Every structure is written in structure tokens, then in C-alpha cells.
Amino acid sequence: MSETSSSGTTKISTFVLMIVLIVLALSLVALALAVNAFILGEEIVAGYLLVIGFIAMSLSVYVLLQSRRRVMSMKSVNPSMMTTIECRKCGFKSVREFQRGDYVFKELDKCQKCDDKMIVTAIYKEVKEKEKAFPF
Ligand SMILES: [Zn+2]
């Protein structure tokens, strides 16, 4: 059951999103109060509220970007199903992405080199290596 873990992470990200939206709303309130204080002539109070508003806003944007990046990296780790196709006559081999209905020893279209039928010889999961695996 891999579905339970993925729904669990979605629940966490919606929780984070809620907190981020609340902080964002509070920062907007702080900025509005800063403008109000500035109009009233209390420049020191306005300055404090302005700083608080900007810190809260940048913090919420940072968390939002960070959680989004995590979701994107999780998607790239997902392995993709691959199907190996082989010609029985000349041994021509090709690999393509798994298509619905593929099974081992299934007869497919004609070979590109000779006119004999090609068959599926293997179906496997391909785990993509991380692009930054090399230290160079
Ligand atoms: Zn062939």
C-alpha cells in the first residue's frame, strides 16, 4: 500500500500551507497597521510593524518554496516502468516505456530490420539516478 504514505505527505503539506497562509495574512495585517500608524504620525511604531510584516512575509514565502521543492524532488525519484522488446529472428533489441497491456512474451509489431514479429522479453522498474550523483 504505497497510497497511504503519499496521502500522508499531502496532508502534511496542506497543514504547512495553512500555517503559511495564516502567517501571510498576519504579515499583511501588520503592513496595513504600519501604514495606519504612519498616517497617525507614529513613525517608530510604523517602522516596527513594517519590519515584522516583511519578516513574516519572507518567512512564509521561503517555507512555501521549500515545501514545493520537496514535492518536486519526490516526483523525480519515482521509478518508471520499462519494457524490453526483442526480435526472435535477428535479435534486434529496443527499450521503451511500459504501456498498458504489456506482458512478457506478448507479440508486438514487426521488427525494424527484418519482418518477423517482435516480442516483449522483460518488464522492469527503472530507478532514475540523481543528476548530482557525481562529485565533479
Ligand atoms: Zn528482426
Side-chain angles (χ1 to χ4, degrees), residues 23-24 27 51-64:
V23 172
L24 204 67
S27 70
V51 168
I52 290 165
F54 273 117
I55 287 169
M57 195 178 276
S58 56
L59 201 75
S60 56
V61 169
Y62 174 75
V63 170
L64 205 71

Side-chain angles (χ1 to χ4, degrees), residues 3-4 9 12 18 24 46-48 55 57 62 67-68 74 80 88 91 98 115 125:
E3 292 291 313
T4 48
T9 50
I12 288 165
M18 263 178 66
L24 204 67
Y48 277 124
I55 287 169
M57 195 178 276
Y62 174 75
S67 62
R68 202 175 159 191
M74 274 167 72
S80 55
R88 281 177 294 183
F98 177 80
D115 271 350
K125 265 186 185 176

Side-chain angles (χ1 to χ4, degrees), residues 2 10-12 15 24 30 47 62-63 94 97-98 101 111 122 125:
S2 59
T10 334
K11 207 174 278 176
I12 288 165
F15 179 68
L24 204 67
Y62 174 75
V63 170
S94 76
E97 267 187 52
F98 177 80
C111 174
K125 265 186 185 176

Side-chain angles (χ1 to χ4, degrees), residues 87-92 111-118:
C87 174
R88 281 177 294 183
K89 203 174 176 182
C90 70
F92 177 73
C111 174
Q112 289 175 23
K113 291 183 177 177
C114 59
D115 271 350
D116 204 23
K117 273 184 180 174
M118 296 187 81

Side-chain angles (χ1 to χ4, degrees), residues 3 5 9 14 28 31 45 72 80 83-84 93-94 101-102 112 117-118 126-129:
E3 292 291 313
S5 63
T9 50
T14 34
L28 287 172
L31 289 175
V45 176
M72 279 168 76
S80 55
T83 301
T84 304
K93 212 172 176 180
S94 76
D102 275 0
Q112 289 175 23
K117 273 184 180 174
M118 296 187 81
E126 189 187 58
V127 180
K128 283 173 186 168
E129 297 287 325

